[in-house]
């Protein structure tokens, strides 16, 4: 149905606004899946994710891939991250266009002094926060959204330092109305992105089991590569593929039975079947 990109300085109230927006959407659309994708949902820490440019680039790649796997015409995805680079917001906009869904940017316009004050309070309380040098670096590189750009439009702006962040907030109510309004041939104030010929994927028949298996294998391999890239070179034991899906373990798994003997292992970022024999 839609992709919502949260945007703002660090500690500007984005997560609280995303939670209120998600709650308001769930109240308006009882049968629709509303999911918030952020660093914590991927078990990534704030300071570890932004300590240098390489790690930050890997973080954006992991978030983008998670969004790409999640967007559909039956769910609303909220990307709760800094999304502070306009080029990255353009990439997310392209994902929404390829899926043929609605898109909007929700900007928490908070003054830097308030953001810094809230960050210090979180540090004192032991809550997730940013180191001072990381905070200053992120603030200096923030690219403010511009509603004249198609990847920043429509733009909903909330001022958390002057407005209370609640579900009944006028800005949140306006965003909910835009995301849930029914669209017909006469609708002009709601834009549903349409995929171009270049972004449309060739549909295959559902009976093509070989294609389906190859697609599933590529998704698993991509998840492993992304997890290893975001692991900063550290050893990783498990990878979660998503809700209602099994967890991949990075060690040799041996299963013995009277009928089959299967040895599976993960080698060089690929899943390989080493041996498969039948015993009588």
């Amino acid at each position: 149905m839609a992709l919502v990109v949260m945007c703002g300085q660090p500690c500007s109230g984005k997560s609280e606004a995303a939670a209120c927006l998600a709650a308001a959407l769930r109240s308006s659309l009882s049968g629709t899946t509303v999911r918030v994708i952020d660093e914590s949902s991927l078990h990534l820490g704030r300071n570890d994710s932004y300590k240098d440019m390489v790690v930050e680039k890997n973080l954006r790649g992991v978030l983008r891939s998670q969004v790409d796997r999640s967007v559909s015409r039956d769910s609303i995805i909220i990307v709760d991250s800094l999304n502070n680079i306009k080029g990255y917001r353009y990439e997310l906009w392209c994902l929404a266009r390829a899926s043929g869904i609605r898109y909007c940017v929700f900007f928490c316009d908070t003054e830097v002094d308030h953001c810094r004050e809230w960050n210090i309070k979180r540090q004192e309380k032991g809550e997730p926060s940013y180191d001072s040098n990381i905070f200053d670096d992120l603030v200096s590189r923030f690219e403010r959204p511009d509603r004249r750009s198609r990847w920043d439009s429509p733009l909903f702006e909330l001022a958390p330092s002057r407005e209370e962040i609640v579900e009944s907030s006028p800005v949140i109510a306006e965003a909910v109305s835009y995301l849930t309004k029914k669209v017909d041939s006469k609708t002009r104030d709601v834009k549903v992105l349409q995929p171009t010929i270049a972004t449309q994927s060739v549909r295959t028949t559902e009976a093509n089991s070989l294609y389906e298996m190859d697609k599933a294998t590529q998704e698993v391999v991509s998840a492993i590569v992304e997890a290893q890239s975001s692991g900063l070179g550290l050893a990783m034991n498990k990878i979660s593929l998503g809700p209602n899906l099994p967890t991949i373990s990075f060690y040799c798994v041996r299963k013995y039975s009277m009928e089959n003997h299967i040895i599976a292992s993960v080698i060089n970022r690929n899943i390989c079947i080493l041996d498969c024999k039948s015993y009588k």
Side-chain angles (χ1 to χ4, degrees):
M1 286 185 61
L3 175 62
V4 181
V5 176
M6 305 298 296
C7 180
Q9 297 281 15
C11 295
S12 59
K14 297 184 301 299
S15 296
E16 187 176 355
C20 289
L21 177 60
L25 287 169
R26 293 188 182 103
S27 299
S28 300
L29 301 171
S30 57
T32 302
T33 300
V34 180
R35 182 186 177 191
V36 178
I37 297 177
D38 58 4
E39 291 89 345
S40 61
S41 67
L42 302 176
H43 307 289
L44 301 173
R46 297 189 177 186
N47 288 318
D48 291 337
S49 300
Y50 293 99
K51 65 181 182 180
D52 59 53
M53 297 300 294
V54 175
V55 176
E56 184 179 339
K57 182 179 179 180
N58 289 336
L59 168 66
R60 290 197 296 270
V62 171
L63 287 172
R64 183 176 60 250
S65 298
Q66 191 68 24
V67 171
D68 190 19
R69 290 194 294 267
S70 302
V71 290
S72 70
R73 298 188 180 184
D74 301 321
S75 62
I76 297 178
I77 304 301
I78 302 175
V79 188
D80 178 20
S81 187
L82 293 178
N83 301 317
N84 55 341
I85 299 177
K86 60 182 179 181
Y88 182 61
R89 295 196 294 271
Y90 172 73
E91 293 178 13
L92 296 177
W93 178 84
C94 288
L95 294 180
R97 181 182 61 176
S99 299
I101 59 177
R102 305 181 201 192
Y103 172 92
C104 70
V105 174
F106 197 103
F107 176 40
C108 289
D109 187 9
T110 307
E111 294 81 358
V112 175
D113 291 339
H114 282 91
C115 295
R116 182 176 286 104
E117 180 181 349
W118 290 346
N119 186 56
I120 294 175
K121 288 182 178 179
R122 292 180 182 179
Q123 291 176 342
E124 295 173 348
K125 295 179 180 179
E127 298 176 351
S129 58
Y130 298 89
D131 291 342
S132 299
N133 57 332
I134 295 178
F135 178 89
D136 293 337
D137 176 63
L138 293 174
V139 167
S140 64
R141 293 190 288 110
F142 180 76
E143 296 178 357
R144 188 183 182 92
D146 184 354
R147 64 178 70 252
R148 293 173 298 180
S149 301
R150 52 184 174 174
W151 53 85
D152 289 335
S153 177
L155 179 64
F156 299 97
E157 299 185 55
L158 178 69
S161 59
R162 300 186 298 272
E163 305 175 43
E164 185 179 5
I165 304 177
V166 293
E167 293 182 33
S168 58
S169 169
V171 179
I172 292 179
E174 183 182 0
V176 170
S177 175
Y178 178 83
L179 295 169
T180 60
K181 186 175 182 179
K182 293 184 178 181
V183 178
D184 54 32
S185 59
K186 298 181 180 180
T187 305
R188 294 292 181 268
D189 56 343
V190 176
K191 183 178 181 180
V192 178
L193 300 180
Q194 298 298 326
T196 62
I197 296 178
T199 59
Q200 285 181 325
S201 58
V202 179
R203 299 185 63 86
T204 59
T205 60
E206 295 182 359
N208 191 342
S209 59
L210 181 61
Y211 167 78
E212 295 296 335
M213 287 190 294
D214 181 68
K215 179 182 177 182
T217 301
Q218 291 300 322
E219 290 179 354
V220 172
V221 173
S222 298
I224 294 174
V225 174
E226 292 165 9
Q228 289 185 332
S229 298
S230 62
L232 308 179
L234 301 178
M236 301 188 67
N237 295 326
K238 295 182 179 180
I239 290 180
S240 176
L241 297 179
N244 302 321
L245 293 176
T247 299
I248 297 179
S249 300
F250 278 80
Y251 53 83
C252 183
V253 180
R254 297 174 181 267
K255 294 185 179 179
Y256 295 89
S257 67
M258 296 299 294
E259 298 294 333
N260 298 292
H261 175 199
I262 300 176
I263 303 176
S265 180
V266 178
I267 300 178
N268 295 330
R269 300 183 178 181
N270 291 290
I271 299 178
C272 304
I273 301 298
L274 301 182
D275 193 12
C276 182
K277 298 178 180 178
S278 296
Y279 290 85
K280 299 296 183 181

